[in-house]
Amino acid sequence: MWDYSETVKEHFYNPRNAGALPDANAIGEVGSISCGDALRLMLKVDPGNETITDASFQTFGCGSAIASSSALTEIIKGKTLDQALEVSNQDIADFLGGLPPEKMHCSVMGREALQSAVANYRGEVWSDDHEEGALICKCFAVDAVMIEETIRANNLCSVEQVTNYTKAGGGCSSCHEGIEEILAKVLAERGESFTAAPPPEKKVPGKLTTLERIRKIEQVIEKARPNLQRDHGDIELVDVDGKTIYVSMKGACSGCQMEAVTLGGVQAQMIEALGEIVKVIPVKATAKLAPNSLPA
Amino acid sequence: MSIPNLTPIYLDNNATTRCAPEAVTAMLPYFTEQFGNPSSMHSFGAKVGHAVKAARTSLQKLLGAEFDSEIIYTAGGTEADNTAILSALKANPERKEIITTTVEHHAVLHLCDQLEKEGYTIHKLKVDGKGRLDLNEYAKLLSDKVALVSVMWANNETGTFFPVVKMAEMANAAGVLFHTDAVQAVGKIPLKLKDTAIDMLSLSGHKLHGPKGIGALYLRRGARFRPLLRGGGQERGRRAGTENVPAIIGMGVAAQLALEHMEMENTYVRALRDKLQAGILAAVPHAFVTGNPDDRLPNTLNVAFEYVEGEAILMLLNKQGIAASSGSACTSGSLEPSHVMRAMGIPYTAAHGTIRFSLSHENTEAEMDRVIAAVPSIIAQLRKLSPYWGENGPVTDPEKAFAPTYA
C-alpha cells in the first residue's frame, strides 16, 4: 500500500468539485490511459476579468490522481487565468502534503489539464511536450525518457554525469543498473560502447590533516549545492565536531520530505571522500552554535 | 444506525497466505532446542536431519512424486524458477532457445528478458482473449535448439490453467526439458507428478499456508541438472547452503494440511468463489471475468470493472476492511497495467480496473456476503467521477467522447 498523506486520503475519500460542470467555458482533457490516468478539467471563467469562478473535474485514475484533481480545483478557484497558470505540479503535491515519487506524475497531469483548459478558453491549441517513460530513479522520481533525452542532448557517457544533470541515481543508487542500460543504448546509437568508470581509488583512512579534512568536507558540500539549488533549496556547512558534521538545509530543502534522502546522499559522499565513518546532522543555521548547545 | 463491521476480510491468498498455526507450532522448537545443523554427525544434527526428511516426504506426497529425493529445498518459488531455467541452459550449452509464455510470473519473464539480452532466443507463446495457448504454435517451436520449456501451471492473476501435462509430453517427445512454475497450483489441485513427463516444478511455501522464504524445486530423477548455488553438499549437492530448517519443517506441515484440505478447495472454496462471482456480476453492470472461467483455479476470481481504476477500488475496499489486489499500473508503480491483461487483449479502460479476489479455505460465506454488498457502491462511486461514465452508464462511444491529449 502506498504511503499516502492524510490529506491525499481525505481528498480521495471526499473529493471536492467532482462531476460535470454544465456551463463550463474552458475544458482541458489530458491523460495517459496506458498508465491508468485521465482527467477532464472544467472551468467557468468570467470573461470580464478572466477569473475562474468555478472548477470541477472528472478523473479516471488511482487514489492520488483523484486527490490531485480535487486539490487542483480547490487551488485555482478564485484565481485569474494568469495566476492559475503559475500553479506548478509541486504546488499541487505540496497542497496534498506530498506525493510518493511514483505518483508525482498525477500532479503533473493536473498541471497539464490546467494548461490545456486555459488554451481551450483562449482558442489556442495546447500540445503536450511531456513524454513519460518507466520510472527509473525512485528517490528523485526521474523516468527513462528524461534520462535518455538528457544523455542524448548533452553527450553524457557515465552514471555520474547522468546524476549531475538529472539527479537520477543520486540517492540509494539501486537504479544504476537501469541508468547503465540506457547509457549503453544511447551510446550504441552514436557508435560508442559504454564502459563503466574505473572504481574510485581506495582512500587511506586517518591520513588527512584537520585542514585537509575540512577542505574535503567543503568540497562535498559545494558539489551537492547545484542539484539542490535547482530545486530552490541549498545546503550550508555549519560546523564540524569530530565525526559529526553539522549542516543547515535552506530554502525548499528545509522540511522537504526528501530531506532525509538528501542528507543520506551527502553523508555517503562525505564517508567516501574522507575515508571514515561520519554523521551528517541538520541544524538550524540561525541558532548560533555554542559547543555545548550542539545536539548530542 | 448499526456500527459497520470492519473485521478484516483477506481475499489476497494468491499473494500470500496466513501461515497455519500448526505449522508455526511445529517450527518453534527448531529455532531453540532443535537448533542442530542437519549435516552434523552428532545427535543435535541427526534429529534435525530426520525432521527435514519427514518434511520432504510430506512434499513428495503432495506432489505425487515417485521419490522424496526429487525434492530440492530452495528459498522460494523465484529461486526454484531461476534454478530450473539456468540449470537447463548450463546442462545444454549448445541449445540457445527457451519457450515460455507472455503471461508467466516475473520470476520467469524477467529472467528470460535478461537472458535475451545475453544472446538467447526466447519464444513467448501468446494467449487468446481467455488466456489460452495455441498448442500448434507450441508444437512448431519445439526443436533440438530448445534447452527448456517453462510454462506455468496456473496463472497467478486469473487462475487460468495451462495444459502442462500435455505440453510436457510434447516436449518430452521432442527431447526438450520441461519446467512448470506451479506456485499457484500446488496445494489447490491434486497432483501426481510421477504419471507425467514434467521434469521440473517450482513451488512456494507461503502460497500454501506455510512460512515465507522457503520453496522447493521438484526435479525428476534422471533429468539433467546443474546447481545454481555451489558449496556444501546439502540437498545432495544440488543446492548448497545450510538448510532453513524451521521453514522447511513449517512447509512440511503446511503440505500435509494442504493434502487434507484438497477436497475442500474444490468444493467449499470453489462454491464461495462462484457465489462471489455471481453476486458481483449480478449487481455491477459493465464488469466481466478475465481469463478462462471454465478452466481455472477454484479459489481465484479476477473481475474487470470497466471505466474505473483498480487502485482506487482497492483503497475503498480497504477502507471497509476488504483486502484484494489489482492489475492496474498504479498499484505496482509501473506505467503499464498487468502484462497478463495486456496479453489477453483486455482494453486499457478495463485492464486498469481489474481486481483479483483470491480465496482460501479460511474464508466464510458471511465474508462473501459482505464483499458482495460492498463492491457495487464502490464501483458506482468511482464511476461517478469517471469521464467515461454518464448518468446511468458509460457515455456513448466512450473512447471518442473522452479522448484526452495523451502524455
Side-chain angles (χ1 to χ4, degrees):
Chain A
M1 196 54 99
W2 299 108
D3 193 9
Y4 284 138
S5 74
E6 286 306 314
T7 319
V8 172
K9 285 189 220 164
E10 214 278 314
H11 274 265
F12 168 66
Y13 292 133
N14 305 298
R16 326 286 198 271
N17 315 306
L21 190 63
D23 45 357
N25 55 358
I27 295 178
E29 294 181 345
V30 297
S32 144
I33 202 69
S34 72
C35 80
D37 298 319
L39 160 62
R40 173 190 284 144
L41 178 69
M42 292 151 282
L43 309 177
K44 208 155 88 185
V45 182
D46 181 339
N49 53 13
E50 288 210 329
T51 301
I52 299 168
T53 55
D54 204 356
S56 81
F57 74 92
Q58 288 174 308
T59 293
F60 172 93
C62 58
S64 56
I66 289 169
S68 294
S69 309
S70 168
L72 172 69
T73 55
E74 287 286 277
I75 293 170
I76 59 174
K77 267 204 274 184
K79 284 193 159 61
T80 66
L81 293 185
D82 285 335
Q83 286 168 340
L85 282 176
E86 281 171 26
V87 175
S88 70
N89 74 298
Q90 189 63 48
D91 292 333
I92 299 170
D94 290 346
F95 182 92
L96 289 168
L99 286 170
E102 290 90 342
K103 297 291 190 167
M104 283 302 283
H105 67 265
C106 294
S107 61
V108 173
M109 184 175 74
R111 185 183 145 70
E112 290 176 342
L114 180 61
Q115 292 171 331
S116 164
V118 173
N120 171 259
Y121 176 80
R122 292 178 171 164
E124 298 161 2
V125 177
W126 179 77
S127 65
D128 175 43
D129 58 352
H130 165 90
E131 193 194 340
E132 208 170 72
L135 189 65
I136 302 290
C137 170
K138 295 196 175 176
C139 294
F140 297 114
V142 188
D143 68 40
V145 172
M146 167 80 154
I147 294 172
E148 193 174 323
E149 285 175 357
T150 309
I151 294 170
R152 208 170 274 136
N154 302 289
N155 270 326
L156 307 185
C157 58
S158 73
V159 173
E160 197 186 2
Q161 286 175 327
V162 171
T163 305
N164 288 338
Y165 277 77
T166 66
K167 296 205 295 187
C172 71
S173 82
S174 52
C175 63
H176 285 195
E177 184 185 357
I179 297 174
E180 286 190 11
E181 278 179 16
I182 300 173
L183 274 165
K185 184 181 131 192
V186 180
L187 285 170
E189 281 170 18
R190 52 181 210 238
E192 297 170 34
S193 62
F194 171 76
T195 42
E201 281 176 43
K202 272 267 177 276
K203 303 285 186 303
V204 186
K207 288 269 173 88
L208 298 176
T209 66
T210 305
L211 186 60
E212 282 170 341
R213 217 171 151 251
I214 299 284
R215 279 200 185 126
K216 291 226 178 235
I217 291 169
E218 281 174 340
Q219 279 168 9
V220 172
I221 298 277
E222 282 309 311
K223 218 176 127 195
R225 292 182 67 198
N227 274 338
L228 300 176
Q229 285 166 346
R230 206 170 301 138
D231 285 346
H232 310 293
D234 209 345
I235 184 170
E236 192 176 83
L237 179 62
V238 175
D239 200 0
V240 180
D241 180 20
K243 297 212 177 271
T244 309
I245 298 161
Y246 296 98
V247 297
S248 163
M249 304 300 282
K250 306 226 149 159
C253 287
S254 173
C256 164
Q257 56 173 340
M258 289 299 197
E259 186 175 309
V261 176
T262 307
L263 286 172
V266 171
Q267 177 168 295
Q269 285 166 28
M270 289 286 183
I271 292 169
E272 173 83 2
L274 300 172
E276 58 178 317
I277 304 292
V278 291
K279 274 191 295 190
V280 175
I281 305 283
V283 292
K284 289 267 173 280
T286 44
K288 184 79 184 143
L289 288 165
N292 48 9
S293 74
L294 287 169
Chain B
M1 212 180 120
S2 63
I3 300 158
N5 178 4
L6 284 178
T7 322
I9 300 176
Y10 186 75
L11 298 180
D12 202 9
N13 286 283
N14 285 12
T16 193
T17 58
R18 184 174 80 114
C19 193
E22 297 93 322
V24 177
T25 308
M27 287 167 74
L28 288 176
Y30 292 90
F31 287 102
T32 49
E33 58 263 34
Q34 300 287 340
F35 61 86
N37 186 328
S39 304
S40 300
M41 287 312 295
H42 43 63
S43 64
F44 292 88
K47 276 188 195 160
V48 176
H50 288 305
V52 167
K53 186 170 165 50
R56 206 185 299 276
T57 310
S58 300
L59 276 176
Q60 179 201 349
K61 282 187 187 147
L62 182 64
L63 297 180
E66 193 169 2
F67 309 102
D68 70 348
S69 59
E70 292 175 325
I71 311 290
I72 303 169
Y73 294 123
T74 66
T78 296
E79 188 195 312
D81 286 340
N82 273 252
T83 303
I85 292 170
L86 295 171
S87 161
L89 295 178
K90 268 263 165 70
N92 301 283
E94 69 296 342
R95 297 182 176 213
K96 304 287 186 196
E97 296 180 16
I98 292 173
I99 300 175
T100 183
T101 79
T102 50
V103 297
E104 292 303 302
H105 190 271
H106 286 156
V108 169
L109 272 190
H110 286 175
L111 174 60
C112 284
D113 289 345
Q114 179 60 32
L115 291 168
E116 196 161 34
K117 285 182 200 158
E118 292 170 17
Y120 291 93
T121 301
I122 312 294
H123 303 286
K124 291 181 188 164
L125 299 171
K126 291 190 241 350
V127 294
D128 68 8
K130 285 189 164 185
R132 293 172 299 196
L133 296 171
D134 175 0
L135 291 191
N136 291 325
E137 185 196 358
Y138 170 57
K140 280 181 207 148
L141 288 169
L142 285 169
S143 77
D144 59 7
K145 291 184 208 138
V146 178
L148 179 76
V149 178
S150 180
V151 171
M152 70 203 316
W153 199 307
N155 187 272
N156 49 311
E157 293 190 29
T158 64
T160 303
F161 291 127
F162 281 145
V164 285
V165 172
K166 177 155 190 216
M167 293 175 82
E169 281 163 14
M170 291 164 73
N172 189 262
V176 178
L177 282 170
F178 189 92
H179 164 252
T180 180
D181 175 342
V183 161
Q184 296 295 344
V186 174
K188 294 182 191 134
I189 55 166
L191 301 173
K192 212 169 178 191
L193 292 182
K194 63 179 154 207
D195 294 344
T196 73
I198 293 167
D199 295 299
M200 291 180 277
L201 173 146
S202 303
L203 68 92
S204 165
H206 75 102
K207 306 284 191 193
L208 44 101
H209 300 276
K212 293 165 182 65
I214 190 75
L217 178 68
Y218 160 86
L219 175 68
R220 164 179 306 286
R221 181 172 288 187
R224 298 183 62 223
F225 182 78
R226 297 290 180 271
L228 180 68
L229 301 181
R230 289 178 193 269
Q234 294 88 354
E235 300 299 286
R236 297 166 195 256
R238 297 171 303 181
R239 201 281 191 183
T242 298
E243 297 85 345
N244 182 355
V245 174
I248 288 170
I249 304 303
M251 179 165 68
V253 173
Q256 240 174 357
L257 294 171
L259 207 51
E260 288 167 23
H261 288 136
M262 189 65 75
E263 208 191 315
M264 220 178 152
E265 286 285 332
N266 291 285
T267 52
Y268 175 77
V269 177
R270 181 185 295 274
L272 288 185
R273 190 273 313 270
D274 290 346
K275 178 192 167 98
L276 183 64
Q277 174 176 321
I280 289 175
L281 294 186
V284 182
H286 296 277
F288 59 90
V289 175
T290 70
N292 187 357
D294 302 323
D295 191 25
R296 61 181 160 156
L297 290 170
N299 80 317
T300 306
L301 168 63
N302 192 304
V303 184
F305 298 100
E306 292 184 87
Y307 312 115
V308 285
E309 198 275 339
E311 186 206 290
I313 302 171
L314 291 184
M315 283 177 73
L316 292 174
L317 283 170
N318 188 56
K319 210 179 165 207
Q320 298 195 36
I322 300 165
S325 73
S326 166
S328 99
C330 272
T331 54
S332 61
S334 71
L335 291 170
E336 291 277 334
S338 133
H339 65 285
V340 178
M341 297 304 149
R342 278 186 298 139
M344 293 191 296
I346 309 279
Y348 278 121
T349 43
H352 281 290
T354 52
I355 299 291
R356 178 187 70 188
F357 301 97
S358 47
L359 285 58
S360 88
H361 61 267
E362 295 184 347
N363 290 117
T364 65
E365 192 166 359
E367 289 179 335
M368 299 306 116
D369 287 329
R370 242 180 78 200
V371 178
I372 292 166
V375 167
S377 60
I378 287 174
I379 304 302
Q381 179 185 342
L382 290 172
R383 280 180 177 162
K384 263 177 81 177
L385 298 178
S386 170
Y388 296 103
W389 198 258
E391 279 298 307
N392 294 305
V395 293
T396 326
D397 208 350
E399 307 278 336
K400 270 194 198 141
F402 181 68
T405 308
Y406 288 116

